Amino acid sequence: MKGLDAFADRLDPDMYVVTATADGERAGCLVGFASQCSIGPPRFVVWLSKANRTFRVARRADRLAVHVLTREQHALAELFGGHTGDDGVDKFAHVRCTAREDGAVVLDDAPAWFVGRVLLRTDAGDHVGFVLDPVDSGARGAPAGPLLRLSDALDISPGHPAD
C-alpha cells in the first residue's frame, strides 16, 4: 500500500532480540516490530514473521524474552538477524546467555531485557503478534548509549524473507 510506505519510510524503530524456548528447542531473532501496548496493566507486543524459526518455537512457548541492544552491539544483531537457526547455526553457542527456571533464555550482554508471559497471539498477515505480560526484567549497569535502531541494522541481510 503506497500510502503506508510514505508513512513507514519515515520511521526508525528500536530493534530487539526476541528469544523463545519450547520443548527443549531454543530460537531467537532480530525484531523491528514491537511496542509497549498498555500502561495499566503493563503489556508489550512483539511481532514475529511466520517465515522464521523463532516464530515456530514461540508459538509453543509460554514465555518470551525481549532484549534491547546498543548500536555498538551490531555483531549481536547480525547474529540474530542474519541467521535463521534453520541454517544450522546455533546462535546461543556464540553468546553468553542464561537459561532461566521459567524456561526463558536471557542474553547476558543485553543492556536491558524483560521476560513476558504470552497472553495472546494475534495473526495479522505475515506476522503474528505476541502480547506479553512482563514477569521479570533486568539491566546491566548504567544506560549504555544509544539503542540499536532500524537505520543501524539496514546492512544486515535477513536470514528469511518477511513472508
Side-chain angles (χ1 to χ4, degrees), residues 124-140:
D126 60 7
H127 283 65
V128 171
F130 291 75
V131 177
L132 305 175
D133 173 26
V135 296
D136 197 10
S137 64
R140 283 189 309 117

Side-chain angles (χ1 to χ4, degrees), residues 19-22 57-58 60-65 100-105 115-118 121 132-133 135-136:
T19 58
T21 306
V57 175
R60 296 179 279 126
D62 63 342
R63 284 175 169 56
L64 302 178
R100 295 165 38 99
E101 286 184 28
D102 61 10
V105 176
V115 172
R117 183 172 53 90
V118 178
R121 292 169 178 87
L132 305 175
D133 173 26
V135 296
D136 197 10

Side-chain angles (χ1 to χ4, degrees), residues 18 29 31 46-50 54-55 58 64 126-128 130:
V18 175
C29 64
V31 172
V46 295
W47 297 90
L48 301 178
S49 169
K50 293 177 184 178
T54 302
F55 166 73
L64 302 178
D126 60 7
H127 283 65
V128 171
F130 291 75

Side-chain angles (χ1 to χ4, degrees), residues 26-109:
R26 303 185 295 190
C29 64
L30 187 64
V31 172
F33 299 158
S35 177
Q36 184 173 346
C37 59
S38 176
I39 296 170
R43 298 286 186 260
F44 198 88
V45 64
V46 295
W47 297 90
L48 301 178
S49 169
K50 293 177 184 178
N52 81 38
R53 182 172 176 271
T54 302
F55 166 73
R56 294 191 305 272
V57 175
R59 70 181 173 193
R60 296 179 279 126
D62 63 342
R63 284 175 169 56
L64 302 178
V66 181
H67 309 79
V68 294
L69 303 179
T70 65
R71 289 181 181 158
E72 290 74 33
Q73 293 179 298
H74 188 275
L76 184 58
E78 189 165 15
L79 175 65
F80 280 89
H83 294 281
T84 67
D86 293 329
D87 58 10
V89 173
D90 179 0
K91 301 174 206 180
F92 297 94
H94 300 280
V95 298
R96 295 180 333 113
C97 58
T98 301
R100 295 165 38 99
E101 286 184 28
D102 61 10
V105 176
V106 173
L107 304 179
D108 296 343
D109 292 326

